[in-house]
Amino acid sequence: MSETPPASGDARDPKDRDDGGTSRDTGRSAHRTGPRRITLGDMAAELNVSTATVSLALRNSPLVASETRERIKAHARGVGYIYNRSAAALRTARSNMVGVAVHDILNPYFAEVFRALEDELGREEQVVLICNHRDDVTRQRGFIDSLLQHRIDGLVLCASVDTRPEEINELVASGIPVTLICRDVEEARAPVVRGDDIAGGRMLTGHFIERGHERIAMVGGRRRSSAGRDRNLGWRQALVEAGMDPDAQIDIPELMTQADGRDAVSGLLASRLPPTAIFGFNDLIAQGLVSGLRRAGIEPGAGMAIGGYDDTDAAVGGSPALTSVWNSPDQIGREAAGLILRQIGGEAVGDERRLIMPRLNIRESSPPPGGQSRG
């Protein structure tokens, strides 16, 4: 991937690097002057498993199922791969590179998380390599495998939907420091730092209810992610506590972008009982809703209350200024960096869960029905 540069001082193609093994293949091309080196990544690609799985299998790790272990070892024998423990030990040398993978680098919220991460890691002379996996778990796996080839010191991951805990656990077991941010992966044995999305969902929904709204739609959020699931759960809990049926409200999952928010407006307005307030899963959705409502001739705020999540800079500077849930990007970035650096330094941190309490910032976009703000 373009985000991952060659390791310093090594101009060879990454596929030709020694990763702890060699091949007995003496080469078939006349111009070859030495053996073709088979890498863990080569075998992982052919066997459709992760590089970490290949590495663990070759070390007879019980974390890999015996059938898979034998299949990988048989393949290694077949291609002439010889596991070299001395060369593999070189992987413990520091590369001063930490990989960071998220699902949407265009979201300003993640830019704020990156800034805090880079500041903290930069103090320890760590270079940050960024991947935008776009919630494509196959793309995420490819990026992680590429990082392993470059001997990263650690990985900070906002996991793609459909990430299996075994994938995280294999990395941890192989000695790669891992910290999850913003999204949890249940049963993963790695630390995670994220906002308390249930609490944040309850805050915003409770604010609408306190303002007198009874038809409160929720728009967006991938429900196979912890953030999408938990914000929706917070919305539902607040409605139930107020005596309202969440299933009687409009709930539109999976949307994530500003364009998604714009496109959702026509359907919301065409419903039999349009909402008087809308909970946007993130600020991008909320800003799209603002734009779409204006195109439909409805003034956001006065004509339809809007709330967002993440409280990015654009929320404050918009018109109307957006009510939004502050989701602590600076703190998440700093704490994630601290956890990675502790692991790089040899400290065991376990699977600690750090839930950071969000804060609701109330602004012009969420008045009572009818548009008259109570301040």
Side-chain angles (χ1 to χ4, degrees), residues 1 10 20 85 104 124 153 226 247 324 352 359 373-374:
M1 291 186 180
D10 188 349
R85 289 190 179 275
D104 186 6
E124 299 298 323
D153 288 346
S226 63
D247 293 330
S324 187
E352 176 183 353
R359 180 181 74 241
S373 176
R374 297 178 189 172

Side-chain angles (χ1 to χ4, degrees), residues 52 55-56 59 63 91 148 168-176:
S55 177
L56 289 167
R59 287 183 280 141
L63 291 170
R91 293 185 61 84
L148 292 177
I168 307 299
N169 295 340
E170 287 172 359
L171 291 170
V172 173
S174 70
I176 302 295

Side-chain angles (χ1 to χ4, degrees), residues 214-241:
E214 297 181 354
R215 300 196 302 275
I216 305 168
M218 181 163 189
V219 175
R222 294 193 171 110
R223 307 297 162 77
R224 301 198 314 280
S225 74
S226 63
R229 180 188 66 240
D230 287 357
R231 291 178 198 179
N232 184 260
L233 179 58
W235 171 78
R236 288 177 174 274
Q237 287 180 353
L239 290 169
V240 169
E241 288 178 6

Side-chain angles (χ1 to χ4, degrees), residues 294-306:
R294 282 213 171 100
R295 288 184 181 181
I298 297 172
E299 183 59 25
M304 178 85 72
I306 304 291

